Amino acid sequence: MKSIIFLVLCLLPLSVMAQKEMLSSPDGNYLFTFEQSGGRLWYHVEYKGKAVILKSELGVDIDNHLVEKAMGIPTDSAKVWTEDLVLGSIDRLEKDTVWHPLYGEYNAIPDHYRQMVLHLKKGGNVGNAHDSGYDKRKVYELDIVVRAYNEGVAFRYHFPEAQNGLFMHITNDRTTFCMPSDTKGFFTEWAQGPYQLVSLSHWKEQGERPLYMELANGLQVAIGEASLKDFARGKLELRRENELHLKLFDSCDIITAYDMPWRWIMVGERPIDLINHKQIVLNLNVPSSYESHPQLNTYIYPGKAIRSSKLEKKWILSCIDFAASFGLQYVELDAGWYGQEWKISSSALAVSSNRDFNMQEIIQYAHSKGIGIWLYVNQRALYYQLDQILPLYKKWGVSGIKFGFVQVGSQQWTTWLHNAVAKCAEYGLMVDIHDEYRPTGVSRTFPNLLTQEGIRGNEEMPDATHNTVLPFTRFLCGPADYTLCYFNNRVKNTFGHQLAMAAVYYSPLQFMFWYDLPTAYQGEKELDFWKAIPTVFDESKALAGAPGEYIIQARRTGTTWYVGAMTNTQARDITITTSDFLEKGKHYTVEIYNDDPKLATRTHVRHEQMKIKSGKTIRLHLQPSGGAALLFKEIQ
């Protein structure tokens, strides 16, 4: 790993400190400006000279009156906590490294940024630590850490270690995002909700993050959270016209030293720029020990899975046989295997007495076929039995646990959830979190957390328009367990559309045939694409698209490329320019699977094969609610 780090320390007297401080990205495209006026803290962001975030507030509200009273500090609860903060020294650095994840959409991720740390403080009776009246026990300090990447900008609040491990009761995050007039955003009220493109001025409820927005000046902007491990979740609410406030789920209690989550902003001139720059979310998270010690990766294996929708021995065994023959890696036993998941009396330590199978027998049979077993466990059982579950499942030989119906939002449940993931790592168990949990990049810190739901997927059977919104919204913050289906008659889209999802939607644990039985498969040729495609890749590129319209996504493993194209409910002609991803001068064979309503088969997916040289274009007609999947293999 190459690393270039430049450090500049600016320790200027307060009397000469500038009221404005600026930070630009390494390529100069982003400009973050901090200023202090009217006793408040503010910032704004520009991209290539265009306004992105207008003057917006920074800071937090803290109610520490009980602690302050005990320390003899005068308090004024009517005051905004940040009003008395004084800007002191500023630290600046630039870092340029590349890191290699255990798995992901890329085998190497650049981490190049410039950083500015603004040190602010208040209290102590007087401002000079050398004065006799100065009492550092009564000093409050706040650092605002700002990073500018070529992919976006981010900032967070850091509370330095204080005397006696100072307790902080944070009641509000004052962060706002004041957007230019006529900004529109893809709003959804909850993680598994539908999206609507609306003017910000029309918002009525809190909206989910990340939020994708379209500016009147032609720029595309996304804002979100990163590294949310032990703090309350933020959602976005309209405070006044075009000004979004990051509203915390609830108040939080911390002890210094402490880092709040990052708030990040990405800008693109094309919608796909945001998809291609989303690795910033991982960069803002703490590395895991696995990055420096890959040999510890003895149990983390991404792969494809099928759910046994019937919890009967013959069906479970048939799923295992199907997984082995189809090239899947896992079978999951879903809710009900240990009883009614909502009852405290249902113990996840044993198979329910009304089931006709033995867990160890199932797992041994699966292992004999090279298949791993995942088990669903509701949070109720996880909360009461986690310390018993983990050693037992390790003894059984379970591959991973799917957490069900987790509580999200509060600091308490956010902390509990990530502590549970960390405990699973101690026992060599992978994790998939379902329901309303949305990722913030913490899989970098806890790589055993392969994927999570937090998406309106095939459990709700959304239409094709919704599906073409997802790559530009939900997938910006991390992988999603959409639960792909193929044969189920409730699917609203074509078979080609469903087929392409395996390339468009990233999930290291990719569930396939979610509502399908193994007997539904009758050797359909196009499903060779699902057999071949892996769930993690060496390189990924969004080639073209716009939210709610269409998406073309390419992914590479070795010298093989997998491309998925999906359109909304309208038919569409697309052009795939192979020079955008294939190596120049190389020759390839390409398998093309595309919808053809005239084809006399039950899935109406046509298969074509041809030879092609990089630089050539491929033109395809996509059916309404349709899609296409392409597989490129280099000719040696």
Side-chain angles (χ1 to χ4, degrees), residues 596-601 604 606:
D596 183 354
K598 297 179 181 179
L599 196 65
T601 64
H604 308 293
R606 182 173 294 280

Side-chain angles (χ1 to χ4, degrees), residues 7 17 40 63 99 137 155 199 206 268 277 286 342 344 450:
L7 178 63
M17 183 61 67
R40 303 284 183 90
D63 181 4
W99 62 282
R137 293 178 307 159
F155 57 88
S199 296
Q206 293 182 6
H277 291 164
V286 177
W342 298 109
I344 293 178
L450 290 188

Side-chain angles (χ1 to χ4, degrees), residues 5-18:
I5 300 178
F6 304 94
L7 178 63
V8 180
L9 298 178
C10 304
L11 303 175
L12 301 178
L14 297 178
S15 59
V16 299
M17 183 61 67

Side-chain angles (χ1 to χ4, degrees), residues 27 29 64 72 74 144 166 182 211 312 320 342 374 483 497 510 583 591:
D27 61 9
N29 289 338
N64 262 24
I144 300 178
L166 187 60
D182 300 321
L211 172 65
E312 302 170 6
I320 292 171
W342 298 109
W374 283 69
T483 55
H497 187 98
Q510 188 73 276
E583 189 175 344
E591 310 271 346

Side-chain angles (χ1 to χ4, degrees), residues 146-277:
V146 185
R147 288 184 183 176
Y149 296 79
N150 293 341
E151 296 79 22
V153 296
F155 57 88
R156 73 176 176 192
Y157 306 115
H158 169 75
F159 294 90
E161 184 177 4
Q163 290 290 311
N164 303 318
L166 187 60
F167 166 89
M168 294 281 193
H169 181 64
I170 299 172
T171 58
N172 180 36
D173 188 332
R174 299 191 67 85
T175 301
T176 61
F177 304 88
C178 187
M179 308 306 300
S181 297
D182 300 321
T183 295
K184 296 180 179 180
F186 279 88
F187 170 85
T188 184
E189 190 177 345
W190 70 98
Q192 298 179 78
Y195 284 93
Q196 270 188 305
L197 178 62
V198 296
S199 296
L200 297 194
S201 57
H202 293 166
W203 280 31
K204 295 181 180 179
E205 305 290 341
Q206 293 182 6
E208 268 291 352
R209 75 282 183 262
L211 172 65
Y212 178 103
M213 293 175 285
E214 298 175 348
L215 274 55
N217 61 15
L219 294 177
Q220 324 294 312
V221 179
I223 56 179
E225 289 187 291
S227 193
L228 174 62
K229 298 188 295 292
D230 56 359
F231 199 74
R233 175 208 64 202
K235 291 179 77 171
L236 297 161
E237 68 174 8
L238 190 69
R239 191 153 74 176
R240 55 181 66 91
E241 186 176 2
N242 293 316
E243 183 180 71
L244 296 171
H245 173 225
L246 190 68
K247 177 71 173 178
L248 296 182
F249 182 90
D250 202 353
S251 59
C252 297
D253 294 317
I254 67 166
I255 297 178
T256 63
Y258 186 85
D259 287 315
M260 283 177 57
W262 290 95
R263 286 66 175 97
W264 54 261
I265 303 158
M266 284 199 296
V267 184
E269 295 174 295
R270 304 173 301 166
I272 60 170
D273 293 340
L274 302 181
I275 297 175
N276 290 328
H277 291 164

Side-chain angles (χ1 to χ4, degrees), residues 264-483:
W264 54 261
I265 303 158
M266 284 199 296
V267 184
E269 295 174 295
R270 304 173 301 166
I272 60 170
D273 293 340
L274 302 181
I275 297 175
N276 290 328
H277 291 164
K278 64 184 177 182
Q279 59 267 34
I280 187 177
V281 180
L282 290 174
N283 281 335
L284 291 169
N285 279 267
V286 177
S288 75
S289 57
Y290 292 84
E291 288 178 30
S292 54
H293 299 88
Q295 68 274 15
L296 296 176
N297 178 26
T298 58
Y299 70 96
I300 300 174
Y301 293 103
K304 294 171 282 191
I306 185 171
R307 177 183 67 141
S308 180
S309 56
K310 295 185 179 182
L311 294 172
E312 302 170 6
K313 183 176 180 179
K314 68 175 184 178
W315 284 106
I316 298 171
L317 296 181
S318 71
C319 283
I320 292 171
D321 291 340
F322 175 76
S325 64
F326 195 85
L328 307 180
Q329 286 72 47
Y330 299 107
V331 170
E332 186 245 2
L333 307 190
D334 215 67
W337 69 266
Y338 61 87
Q340 295 185 31
E341 59 178 311
W342 298 109
K343 291 188 175 182
I344 293 178
S345 58
S346 295
S347 171
L349 300 174
V351 176
S352 177
S353 59
N354 65 350
R355 300 296 176 190
D356 66 347
F357 63 89
N358 173 279
M359 185 62 72
Q360 288 177 292
E361 179 185 3
I362 292 294
I363 292 174
Q364 288 172 5
Y365 181 78
H367 287 179
S368 73
K369 298 281 186 173
I371 302 299
I373 295 293
W374 283 69
L375 298 179
Y376 172 97
V377 183
N378 185 284
Q379 188 183 18
R380 179 182 288 272
L382 291 170
Y383 182 75
Y384 288 107
Q385 297 183 308
L386 187 64
D387 290 336
Q388 298 167 276
I389 284 171
L390 298 183
L392 177 66
Y393 289 7
K394 180 178 181 179
K395 180 180 178 181
W396 281 355
V398 172
S399 296
I401 303 175
K402 187 173 84 170
F403 291 14
F405 287 99
V406 297
Q407 299 295 314
V408 296
S410 71
Q411 182 184 28
Q412 172 194 350
W413 287 118
T414 302
T415 303
W416 177 89
L417 186 62
H418 293 114
N419 285 343
V421 172
K423 281 188 175 182
C424 287
E426 294 175 9
Y427 288 88
L429 291 165
M430 295 177 284
V431 175
D432 174 10
I433 302 174
H434 259 232
D435 304 301
E436 282 290 295
Y437 174 83
R438 280 207 168 184
T440 60
V442 296
S443 287
R444 182 181 182 184
T445 308
F446 309 116
N448 65 312
L449 175 54
L450 290 188
T451 192
Q452 51 273 303
E453 192 178 14
I455 191 171
R456 191 176 186 83
N458 268 344
E459 289 186 347
E460 288 83 14
M461 294 296 180
D463 67 10
T465 299
H466 173 88
N467 289 342
T468 57
V469 171
L470 292 175
F472 302 90
T473 54
R474 166 60 181 82
F475 279 96
L476 292 183
C477 65
D481 189 3
Y482 181 97
T483 55

Side-chain angles (χ1 to χ4, degrees), residues 483-495:
T483 55
L484 311 187
C485 290
Y486 203 71
F487 296 106
N488 190 270
N489 59 13
R490 291 182 297 135
V491 173
K492 295 183 176 69
N493 311 299
T494 70
F495 289 96

